[in-house]
Amino acid sequence: TAPVTGGNFVELVNNGFYNGMKVQRSDGFVIQTGDPNPDDEDKPHGVKNADGSPRELPLEVFALEDKKPTYEVTLEDDGRPLSQPKLPFSVYGTLGMARSEDNANDASSQWFFLLFDPELTTAGRNLMDGRFSTFGYVVEGNRLLSNIEVGDVITDAKVVSGLNYLQSPAKK
């Protein structure tokens, strides 16, 4: 439901981008990492393209009633505040792509696990749905998330299955 976001994440994992990276946020709401320069405000907070420009991904949301994802606009800004995404922020361990609050299209390499609490993040009525790209869920070992703290290190990230479904974009 988020092919650009998911493909970007898989590419960064396969290139070892996250290996050795520290967890930068763990506050009971989300666990977040992926900022290559978390302590330096003067450096970019995402991955760069080959030409040195910042890589920026469009917001990508696939609503239930749509035939393809909506890009570059939140569902609310698209005039559909009650629309529900196919992959909602509705379970502990939802995987989302981080972005600035004021720019829907500046995601790059930072991602987060939502530590879902149904009282704070009611499915269908939360502030996350339609505002952030969702591209997965933890399906095994989600209790581990409650033990992750700021400073913990990703020693080695890898895609263990499903790479055969990944399609590279056509070359122009």
Side-chain angles (χ1 to χ4, degrees), residues 14 21 54 92 130 133 143 162 164 167-168:
N14 283 342
M21 190 168 286
Y92 190 87
S133 300
R143 294 187 81 193
N164 54 314
Q167 295 181 13
S168 296

Side-chain angles (χ1 to χ4, degrees), residues 145-168:
L145 295 178
S146 65
N147 296 323
I148 295 177
E149 298 178 354
V150 171
D152 287 352
V153 175
I154 299 171
T155 55
D156 183 36
K158 60 183 163 183
V159 177
V160 295
S161 67
L163 280 175
N164 54 314
Y165 297 108
L166 187 64
Q167 295 181 13
S168 296

